[in-house]
Amino acid sequence: IPTGTYLITTVTATKALRVVCWGAKFTLSGNNAGFAVEGTVPWFRVVGGHITGDNTNRDGDTSLIQIGWSFGNASAANVADIEVTGVYVDKANVGFRVSYGTGPNDPVERVRITNCKVTGSVGFVGGAGYGFQFSQAPGSTLSNSYVEGCGRHGVYFSEGENYIVSGVHIENCGKNDGTIRGALAISRSANVTVTGCNLHDNKDVGLSIDVDTQGTAPNILEGITVTGCTFSDNKYGDFVLGTTDPASDGV
């Protein structure tokens, strides 16, 4: 996609492509705007691009949210081996969503995002206000990326295994209402490695490793390794480990 400025609504890819967007700027227009990769896609590559949302809070109906790039959909997804590099998303409702392979017949696997940036993700309810959201996406990686000013989680990993988070900087994220959710949140997952991340000046706990009431029981989280991270000036504490309901859930 050549250098230039483009007004887009929804752009959906359903087959393997290499999309190169260096110098391209995209302005999202209206509900459900953004790029999506859905269906049976055995590999996909994204390089570059600056995506700007309309800065509108869609908490009232998160089915209408703007997402910079979305990989996988709730059913009939078979998306794997995705690589994303050098993309910047600003003022959308979610920067990147990697989510919801609903089982072995609908996988979303091995999505690797590196050297990307998300700022100003708008929204505070579940499903909005995320920088990077990974759910049911085993083998996925986020590295050397920057997140700032998201209304909910800067980075969220859930319901997967073999996740890697490395060299990610997260600041000024969270609801700022006393809710403990995590600027970087890891929930209901196994074998997750977090290395060399910097979490500071967030409006929430810096890092939360926990389970919650979502997802499929038994909601067990295990095998988490955190090394070489820096925490400072996070409003409700730097790090929380544990469960809100030890009678039914476990870490």
Side-chain angles (χ1 to χ4, degrees):
I1 301 177
T3 296
T5 301
Y6 304 86
L7 182 67
I8 66 169
T9 53
T10 303
V11 179
T12 303
T14 58
K15 58 183 173 183
L17 292 170
R18 186 171 188 266
V19 183
V20 180
C21 307
W22 291 125
K25 297 181 179 180
F26 306 96
T27 300
L28 304 184
S29 176
N31 296 328
N32 298 308
F35 292 91
V37 179
E38 299 177 353
T40 300
V41 182
W43 64 268
F44 203 88
R45 304 289 181 267
V46 182
V47 181
H50 183 171
I51 302 169
T52 303
D54 62 13
N55 205 34
T56 298
N57 188 325
R58 293 176 171 81
D59 282 356
D61 187 351
T62 55
S63 68
L64 305 178
I65 62 174
Q66 294 181 341
I67 304 173
W69 276 95
S70 173
F71 300 97
N73 51 334
S75 62
N78 193 352
V79 175
D81 291 310
I82 311 297
E83 294 185 5
V84 183
T85 304
V87 180
Y88 176 24
V89 183
D90 182 40
K91 296 182 176 65
N93 301 113
V94 175
F96 296 85
R97 173 173 287 175
V98 181
S99 64
Y100 301 112
T102 55
N105 296 320
D106 300 304
V108 178
E109 300 176 299
R110 299 181 302 280
V111 179
R112 296 173 289 275
I113 300 176
T114 187
N115 292 320
C116 290
K117 180 179 179 180
V118 179
T119 58
S121 292
V122 184
F124 302 99
V125 301
Y130 297 81
F132 298 86
Q133 179 187 17
F134 295 77
S135 296
Q136 299 177 5
S140 292
T141 300
L142 175 65
S143 63
N144 300 326
S145 295
Y146 176 87
V147 195
E148 190 272 329
C150 297
R152 196 172 173 91
H153 301 289
V155 177
Y156 179 73
F157 280 85
S158 72
E159 293 184 72
E161 59 183 0
N162 302 321
Y163 288 136
I164 297 174
V165 190
S166 66
V168 178
H169 182 105
I170 306 173
E171 64 176 296
N172 193 30
C173 294
K175 295 179 69 175
N176 197 26
D177 65 352
T179 304
I180 305 301
R181 296 186 179 277
L184 167 56
I186 300 168
S187 184
R188 311 185 308 280
S189 297
N191 303 325
V192 181
T193 301
V194 182
T195 59
C197 293
N198 185 353
L199 299 93
H200 74 90
D201 291 298
N202 290 290
K203 300 172 183 177
D204 199 329
V205 163
L207 170 61
S208 171
I209 297 176
D210 208 341
V211 292
D212 57 31
T213 57
Q214 302 179 53
T216 303
N219 288 343
I220 300 297
L221 186 145
E222 61 188 7
I224 313 301
T225 303
V226 181
T227 58
C229 296
T230 302
F231 304 85
S232 61
D233 299 318
N234 297 296
K235 185 167 184 179
Y236 296 113
D238 291 333
F239 174 71
V240 63
L241 169 67
T243 175
T244 56
D245 187 3
S248 59
D249 297 330
V251 175

